[in-house]
Structures are given as structure tokens and as C-alpha cells.
Amino acid sequence: MLWVCMCHTLSAQKVGLVLSGGAAKGIAHIGVLKALEEHHVPVDFIVGTSMGGIVGGFYAAGYSPEEIEKLVLSDEFLRWVRGLPERGHNYHYYSDDDAPGFVTLNLSLDSALAFQLNTSIASDVSLNFMLQEKLAQASAVAGGNFDNLFVPLRVVAAEVFTQSQVILKSGSLSNALRATQTVPFFYTPIRVDGKYLFDGGIYNNFPVDVALREFNPGVLIGSNVSSKIYKEYPYKDDEKLIARSLLYMLLDNSDPADLDSTGIYIEPNIRGYTSFDFDKAKALIDSGYQQTLRVMPEIKSRIQAERTVAELTTARAAFKSATIPFQFGSLTFQSFNSKQRKYIRRIFNDKPENHPLSITDIKQGYFKLVSETYFNNVYPSIFFDTAASVYKLQLARRPQKNFRVDFGGVIATRNVSNIYLGLNYYYFNRALSHFYAAFQTGSFYQSVTANARLDFPFLGRFYIQPEVVYNGFDFLESTDLLKKTTPTVLKRFDRRASVSLGWPVGKTIKAALTFTGFDNVDFYSNLKSFSSTDTLDRLDLSGYKSGVQFTSSTLDRKQYASSGSAFSLAVQYFHLTEKYAAGNTADPSLQNTPGRNLQWFQLRVTAQQYYSKGWFRPGYYAEAVFSNQPVFRNYFGTIANAPAFLPLQDSRTLILENFRTFNYVAFGLRHAIIIKPRTLDWRIDGYLFKPIEYIRQGLNQEAVIDNELTRVFFAATTGPVYHSPIGPVSLSLNYYDDAENKIGVVLHVGFLLFNKHTLE
């Protein structure tokens, strides 16, 4: 009888597992699960918070520790947590020209013209869909009951209005996991059962009490990656630590004392790791694995029940065999009107004759939609419709972000410093309307831009964008860290109005057909020395241009990229009237020259790409221009308005005479040496520029075309780049084969970006 009772006790012994929150440090829980399985320790229940909820949720959904490990070690995992689209879904259609903004305020503007600040700073568009795609089928098998998962599960979230924790035990598994890791101010919250929920670590980061109350296990194992760091107030370091106070409040409030003497405590050695070290997943997993092995004798002494790997594999296969393959019916919506629904359905190609839709169709439609920043507030949910026997994708509208303010600019050691303000307003109904105004001002460059982009989901999708632009460039001063250089005397006023018609070509290419009218004025001196009494030449160029451009880009940054590729092909026709008035620095033969009409074609092709994903990332940049552009009345007016090769960060702020001509080819190597991932690089770039037609100055200041084939010019730069929250901080040593700008040192903080001139 004693033997029978002992056997019954062993067979009835249930093991619960508690996984704490800890952001990236929670990846160590995977190693804990891996060690437990390898040593045949059963896990009958799981309770998790934040990242512990994510890891525990995937395990409860039937993923093995090896499968979870493979997931977090993949390149796609880092893209999910960083808000980047999955590879193959980099839709370029909604991309705009790069602007120097580095601080963004997302605001909601309601019908009463009242503003509300949206405080989330991280994009969750990729993470949201990943959780739905990976977990929707397991959730359907369980019928929305977390007790029916492969391992019964509880997920802890927080409801901030009533200041209470919420125990999630039913409904959508992916929604529960998304809710439990919603760190305030980082991710936008989602509704679960009608309530906005946040990270469970706010109130219970190590939910031992939840496990005891919900499951009453015979033995409880607790894995904690976020124990209190400071038992006493850190007086010496408080000023350094205050900026991270939110993370300490959320992620470091776990206490091992919550697990009494009847439990088994595991604390992986993760000293030196931060809550953002997602790229160190392998080391974190190993730390959880090794610490569990150290505790394994105690675990074995307390838990006599066993479950072999073969038994688990068989059980998982049985659970997964019950999953229903993805086939999707029509989309469903929350908080969208009928016209908005019609727009979104067209993006997904959601038509009755196309049903059922595949998961590929759904994913493509989703990433097409959220590639426009305005739709980042859309939250996807995948659920199984038992009545129709198909899955449904539901798109819910979260707190609106229809007004965006961008601040930026650059501070530099040369006279190119400026400030930038960008205003964006969206209106969405039958079409998506994006109204944009931008202002940039400084001693070198001033600009005003206003446009309206109207997107229509017809004929595959297209947009119409009218735009007006004013650019002012002042090259009158030029200083450098090493020396004061001879200035180029040139003032430019670039005014244009245009209308563009754009459409997507496949997944990654955007095509745009543009017609532009312009009225430009250049004031310049023909001499390197300049007196305040001199009268500048005046060159008026007014007319129109039309052309078509194809662009594509997957670059990871708008300046100083280190991964991805970009391509551009543009064909343009120019028709303009040239009016020239000579100043007192002009050759006397140029006085009283009549105006004339000019026209030409231009083809410009650029391509760049970076290779490798390690510490050394080589790349290339290539560009070619072919044109039948004629010369203008004199040499400098011709050079200033000729196509230019601008390879370095400050090239646009200089008139590099040897790098401007009507026809040329150029090639360069760009190398990024990664000193600290995502933060610190060392750049080494070198370029060769071969003018097919070299433009030189004649005896009477006229422009002369020289077809000498031996002319080749070199440009290079090297220096460190720190990628700060307010843009790059770059200190570079630059070299050009140019008499006036041969060697220079440039230090700048922020993005050194300006609008292109109309004739570029």
C-alpha cells in the first residue's frame, strides 16, 4: 500500500515554471527550458511576464526550446524588435526624400483642433504581425483557452488606470503576449477584452503568487533575470542612472524572496548585459542553460517525475497535427468607416473571387499598408472563424497619429549649420492625403517646401503629388578646421513648382513621372578674389523639365548607411530660356549677350550596396550621367549648372569644378568598420571620377569641352561616426582632387542633408 501511494504521489506531482520579465535579458529563459528538457524535467504549467511571457507563450504553443532559440538567433528577430520590415517586404512606394529630422512628435489632431501627444517611441508593426503569424494556429487549436495549449499558460499584464495586474488565461494568445511586453512610452498599447494593457512588470515582474494561486503546483521553479540591482540608494551614480529610471522601475522589481523554500530558484548570470542586448541572444541563452545545469542536482532531488525528449517530441507532434492550415476569408475591421475599409481592401486585393487568401497574400498586404507611416497605428489580429472554417485578419485602429512634427538640422564646423522643421498632416477617407511643409534655415542654405500627396488604391495604386519648393544656397564663405579656404562666390535662388504621378513597380521599386516648371537665378563672380564693390554676374534660367525616375532602397540609414542597397534611374528632358547679365568680373566680350532657348536630355544612373553583416562591411557606390546639355554663356555659369558627382557628406556644400561635367562615370568603395554595433563606425571611402567630357575655362571665360581620356579625379574620406539619438556625430578627414578644396576636416552633429537643385 505504501508503494502504491508513493507511485501515485510521483505521478501526480505537477511542476510549475515562472519566467520573469527583463526585456532582452529574458532570452536567457530559453536556455532554462532547453536544460530542463534535456534532463527530462517536466513542465506542467507556465506563468510569465513581459519577455518571460513571450518565451513561455511560445513554449506553451508547442515550440521546442531549439525552435525558439532558432527564432531569436535569426536576422529577422532583430528586425522585428527594431521595427524594421521583414526582408522581402521593404516596400519603397511610400518613401520620401531624406530630410534632416531626428526628433519626431506624433500628435493626434481631432475635429475640435485639439492636440494629443502620442508618446510611444518604438515601432511595433513587424513584431505585431510576427506574433500573430507564429501563434494564431496554436491559439485556434486551444479554442482560445490557455489551459488547452500544449502547456497550460498564464500571462501577466497591467491595467494602469485601476493600478492592478491582469491575469490573461483565454482569448488570443498573440494578443496576450503582445500586451505583456508593452513597456510604457516604448510601445503603443493594445486593447484586450476592451481594456488597454501594458507590461505586466509594472506590478508583478516575477509572478510566483500567480502560479501558486492558478495552478497550485507540487514544485515551483522560478527563473528570474531581473532581480533588484540596488538594495540601497546609489548616491554616487544616481545622476548617471536617472535617465534609465523607467527601466529600473519596470524590469528590476523582481525579488527572489517571492519564491519560498519550497521552490527552486534559478538566476542566470547576466551581469554586463542590458535590457537592449537583443543581438547577444546566443550568450544570454547560454547563461540560462549553464545556470540551470548548476541547479540541476537540486531539481532532480525535488522532482522525481520525468518526461523524456522522445515523449515530448511525440506530444508536440500530436498537438501540431491538430493545427488548421492558413486560409483566409475577407478582412474584418474595427473603427474604420466604409470608405476607409474599401481603400484597405484594395491594398490587400481582398475580393470575393480571390478567396481564400494565403498567409503570403495577407503578409504582403499588411506590409504594403504599414510601409506608410500613417498606418503604423493599425493593429493586426488573426483568429479562426469556426462558422466559416477560415482564418480572418482583423485590422483595428489604435490611437490616431495624424499630425507629426519633425525637428532636426545640423551643427558643423563649417558654415553649413542649419535647423529644420517639418510638419505633416494626414487625412484618410476615400483616399489617403498627406500634407507636408518643411522649413530649413542657416547661413549656407534656406528652404521652404510644401506638397500634398494623394494616394489612390485604383489601377494597382498610384499617387498624385503637387509641390512647390524654394531653395537658397550661399557659397560666399568657406571655413575649415585646418584653415580658412578661398571662398567660391555664388548665390543661388532655386524656385520650382511640380506635379508628380507615382506608382509601385513590384515590391521594391517606385516609379514617378514628373513635370516641373522653374525660375532660377545665380549670382556669381568669375574671380577667386572678391571685393564688396564688385558687381556679380546674373544668370537667369527659367523653363520646364519632365522626366521619369525609378528608385529603390533598403539602406538602414539615411546617412552613413552600413547595410542594404539602393538604386536610381532617371531620364529627364529640359527646356529653358537662358538670360545672362555680365558683372564687372566678366570678360568684356560677354557684355550685352542676348537670351536664348536651350534644350537637352539627361540620363542618370546610381547604384550602391553594402555586403556582410559582421564587423567589416564593404560596399560600393557607382554613378553615371549621359547628357547632350549645351554650355552656357560663360565657364562658371556652365560649371555651376552641370551635373555633379557628390560622393562625400559635404560635397553638396562645395562647388567642385573637377567633379562637374555633362557626361561622366564614377565608382567608389565604401567601407564601414563596426566598432560598436548600431552605435559607432569607422568609415573609409574612396572614389574615382572619370569625366567623359571635361569642362575647362577658355581664354575669354568661355566654357570649353575637352575630350582628353586620361583625366581621372580622386576623392576620399575617413573618420569615426557615432550614431546618436539626434543623428550622426561625424569627424572626417576629406580629400578632393580640387585646387580650392583639396584637404579638409569636417565635424558635424546631425544630418548633413539638403534638397537637390532643380537641374540635378
Side-chain angles (χ1 to χ4, degrees):
M1 289 179 61
L2 179 61
W3 176 255
V4 171
C5 291
M6 289 179 60
C7 290
H8 176 74
T9 301
L10 291 177
S11 64
Q13 186 184 44
K14 297 296 183 182
V15 179
L17 178 64
V18 176
L19 304 177
S20 76
K25 294 184 289 185
I27 294 173
H29 295 315
I30 302 171
V32 175
L33 287 168
K34 191 175 178 181
L36 292 177
E37 279 209 359
E38 287 181 2
H39 289 78
H40 306 163
V41 178
V43 175
D44 300 296
F45 314 107
I46 294 182
V47 178
T49 293
S50 194
M51 183 55 79
I54 298 284
V55 174
F58 271 83
Y59 188 78
Y63 285 82
S64 69
E66 290 74 21
E67 289 173 324
I68 306 174
E69 179 180 28
K70 182 179 179 181
L71 195 67
V72 301
L73 294 180
S74 67
D75 292 335
E76 293 303 329
F77 177 77
L78 290 177
R79 299 182 70 85
W80 295 329
V81 297
R82 293 171 184 169
L84 300 174
E86 289 190 16
R87 297 188 188 279
H89 295 281
N90 301 83
Y91 295 98
H92 186 60
Y93 172 68
Y94 285 114
S95 63
D96 298 316
D97 291 336
D98 291 330
F102 51 70
V103 174
T104 297
L105 293 180
N106 287 308
L107 304 170
S108 299
L109 178 62
D110 59 26
S111 57
L113 299 182
F115 287 100
Q116 181 179 354
L117 177 63
N118 189 297
T119 55
S120 61
I121 61 176
S123 172
D124 61 358
V125 293
S126 296
L127 179 66
N128 292 340
F129 193 86
M130 180 275 290
L131 292 173
Q132 298 292 333
E133 182 185 15
K134 302 296 184 184
L135 300 170
Q137 290 173 306
S139 191
V141 171
N145 185 342
F146 294 178
D147 285 336
N148 296 334
L149 291 167
F150 177 68
V151 176
L153 173 73
R154 296 294 182 267
V155 178
V156 180
E159 203 278 274
V160 296
F161 296 110
T162 61
Q163 299 182 6
S164 60
Q165 72 175 3
V166 177
I167 311 303
L168 300 174
K169 60 179 72 175
S170 63
S172 167
L173 176 60
S174 50
N175 287 354
L177 301 194
R178 172 61 179 81
T180 191
Q181 56 89 58
T182 305
V183 178
F185 309 117
F186 283 78
Y187 287 125
T188 302
I190 66 167
R191 285 186 186 272
V192 177
D193 295 332
K195 298 179 181 179
Y196 282 116
L197 299 184
F198 289 87
D199 193 303
I202 295 176
Y203 300 121
N204 196 347
N205 201 47
F206 191 39
V208 171
D209 59 326
V210 176
L212 294 173
R213 185 170 60 251
E214 289 287 322
F215 296 119
N216 191 26
V219 180
L220 189 60
I221 302 173
S223 176
N224 182 22
V225 296
S226 190
S227 60
K228 291 181 184 293
I229 294 178
Y230 297 100
K231 300 290 186 180
E232 298 179 358
Y233 189 88
Y235 288 100
K236 294 182 179 180
D237 300 318
D238 57 354
E239 291 188 3
K240 298 178 182 178
L241 299 172
I242 190 63
R244 300 175 65 186
S245 58
L246 176 64
L247 282 176
Y248 286 117
M249 180 182 72
L250 293 179
L251 304 178
D252 296 321
N253 62 355
S254 304
D255 193 339
D258 293 340
L259 195 67
D260 61 23
S261 59
T262 62
I264 302 170
Y265 183 69
I266 301 173
E267 184 175 334
N269 182 9
I270 51 175
R271 292 183 180 276
Y273 296 100
T274 73
S275 299
F276 300 102
D277 286 335
F278 291 99
D279 55 345
K280 299 177 182 177
K282 180 61 177 175
L284 288 165
I285 293 171
D286 289 343
S287 68
Y289 181 82
Q290 293 299 329
Q291 185 59 29
T292 307
L293 292 184
R294 295 186 186 98
V295 183
M296 191 57 66
E298 180 186 357
I299 295 174
K300 285 292 191 179
S301 68
R302 300 278 300 279
I303 302 173
Q304 287 74 43
E306 289 192 351
R307 190 170 302 141
T308 66
V309 174
E311 291 172 338
L312 280 170
T313 301
T314 301
R316 278 199 186 93
F319 180 81
K320 292 181 179 180
S321 68
T323 59
I324 303 170
F326 277 130
Q327 285 191 322
F328 287 83
S330 186
L331 302 178
T332 63
F333 299 90
Q334 280 188 359
S335 303
F336 290 100
N337 65 37
S338 59
K339 294 177 181 178
Q340 295 168 340
R341 294 178 183 186
K342 188 174 182 180
Y343 180 98
I344 296 175
R345 288 188 191 280
R346 289 181 179 271
I347 300 297
F348 280 81
N349 199 22
D350 180 19
K351 301 177 182 178
E353 59 269 24
N354 293 334
H355 293 165
L357 299 173
S358 67
I359 185 63
T360 301
D361 298 329
I362 293 296
K363 180 182 285 190
Q364 288 180 353
Y366 174 77
F367 280 105
K368 282 181 183 179
L369 184 70
V370 298
S371 61
E372 164 54 62
T373 305
Y374 173 78
F375 291 113
N376 284 181
N377 72 313
V378 172
Y379 182 75
S381 294
I382 296 176
F383 63 92
F384 185 70
D385 185 343
T386 54
S389 297
V390 292
Y391 288 90
K392 295 288 186 71
L393 174 67
Q394 181 183 81
L395 298 176
R397 194 173 190 171
R398 292 185 288 176
Q400 190 61 31
K401 304 178 194 177
N402 60 352
F403 193 86
R404 191 178 81 234
V405 182
D406 298 321
F407 302 94
V410 65
I411 299 174
T413 52
R414 287 180 42 209
N415 66 309
V416 296
S417 301
N418 66 70
I419 57 176
Y420 164 83
L421 172 66
L423 304 175
N424 300 265
Y425 175 72
Y426 292 89
Y427 177 74
F428 178 42
N429 201 31
R430 189 184 302 273
L432 176 65
S433 302
H434 177 193
F435 302 94
Y436 171 72
F439 309 89
Q440 221 168 324
T441 183
S443 59
F444 165 71
Y445 176 70
Q446 308 85 39
S447 173
V448 177
T449 301
N451 63 46
R453 173 168 163 160
L454 310 176
D455 276 281
F456 301 94
F458 312 114
L459 304 175
R461 270 196 305 172
F462 69 92
Y463 69 82
I464 298 174
Q465 180 173 308
E467 180 177 60
V468 293
V469 177
Y470 164 79
N471 294 317
F473 300 87
D474 190 346
F475 293 84
L476 284 177
E477 297 179 6
S478 181
T479 57
D480 188 87
L481 280 177
L482 296 180
K483 62 184 184 303
K484 185 170 181 67
T485 60
T486 304
T488 299
V489 182
L490 171 63
K491 286 189 175 183
R492 317 198 75 179
F493 300 94
D494 177 28
R495 298 162 291 197
R496 64 178 182 263
S498 65
V499 60
S500 298
L501 172 66
W503 64 95
V505 179
K507 293 182 179 181
T508 60
I509 299 175
K510 178 176 70 173
L513 181 65
T514 304
F515 181 85
T516 304
F518 57 88
D519 183 17
N520 297 345
V521 183
D522 290 343
F523 296 94
Y524 56 87
S525 170
N526 296 284
L527 303 177
K528 297 302 180 184
S529 59
F530 175 68
S531 170
S532 59
T533 60
D534 287 342
T535 302
L536 298 177
D537 290 14
R538 173 171 177 153
L539 179 64
D540 289 79
L541 302 175
S542 59
Y544 67 88
K545 70 174 184 176
S546 59
V548 62
Q549 184 177 30
F550 299 89
T551 59
S552 176
S553 178
T554 60
L555 296 176
D556 62 338
R557 299 188 183 99
K558 52 188 172 184
Q559 194 169 23
Y560 301 112
S562 60
S563 67
S565 63
F567 172 81
S568 174
L569 169 65
V571 180
Q572 298 186 93
Y573 169 74
F574 296 83
H575 188 287
L576 56 83
T577 299
E578 176 198 27
K579 295 180 181 180
Y580 173 75
N584 66 352
T585 65
D587 189 274
S589 64
L590 297 175
Q591 299 292 334
N592 302 317
T593 55
R596 57 177 180 164
N597 294 323
L598 303 174
Q599 52 188 316
W600 68 87
F601 287 93
Q602 183 188 102
L603 168 67
R604 182 189 292 264
V605 182
T606 64
Q608 60 178 307
Q609 184 169 357
Y610 290 89
Y611 299 94
S612 179
K613 301 172 185 176
W615 65 270
F616 180 63
R617 300 183 182 181
Y620 73 86
Y621 182 90
E623 184 171 285
V625 172
F626 304 98
S627 172
N628 62 339
Q629 180 176 342
V631 299
F632 292 157
R633 285 301 183 184
N634 67 352
Y635 167 75
F636 194 82
T638 301
I639 279 292
N641 290 282
F645 179 56
L646 308 170
L648 307 189
Q649 74 277 54
D650 70 334
S651 298
R652 194 175 297 277
T653 68
L654 304 169
I655 300 297
L656 302 166
E657 298 181 25
N658 288 338
F659 293 83
R660 290 173 173 264
T661 186
F662 303 143
N663 293 276
Y664 66 81
V665 292
F667 182 82
L669 297 177
R670 293 179 166 179
H671 303 301
I673 299 173
I674 310 302
I675 300 174
K676 187 175 182 181
R678 306 188 309 280
T679 304
L680 184 61
D681 307 339
W682 189 282
R683 314 288 301 199
I684 304 175
D685 299 359
Y687 305 88
L688 293 176
F689 174 80
K690 176 67 186 79
I692 299 173
E693 295 177 334
Y694 180 71
I695 303 175
R696 60 179 177 83
Q697 183 169 277
L699 296 177
N700 299 317
Q701 295 181 350
E702 76 275 19
V704 178
I705 302 299
D706 189 339
N707 293 314
E708 182 182 344
L709 296 177
T710 59
R711 292 184 186 270
V712 178
F713 299 97
F714 179 69
T717 183
T718 187
V721 179
Y722 172 69
H723 302 281
S724 77
I726 59 170
V729 180
S730 169
L731 175 63
S732 61
L733 174 65
N734 298 343
Y735 173 84
Y736 295 101
D737 272 342
D738 182 85
E740 305 299 330
N741 303 281
K742 188 172 291 291
I743 296 179
V745 175
V746 179
L747 170 66
H748 74 88
V749 180
F751 293 101
L752 202 57
L753 297 171
F754 311 97
N755 285 338
K756 295 179 180 179
H757 188 271
T758 298
L759 296 190
E760 285 190 45

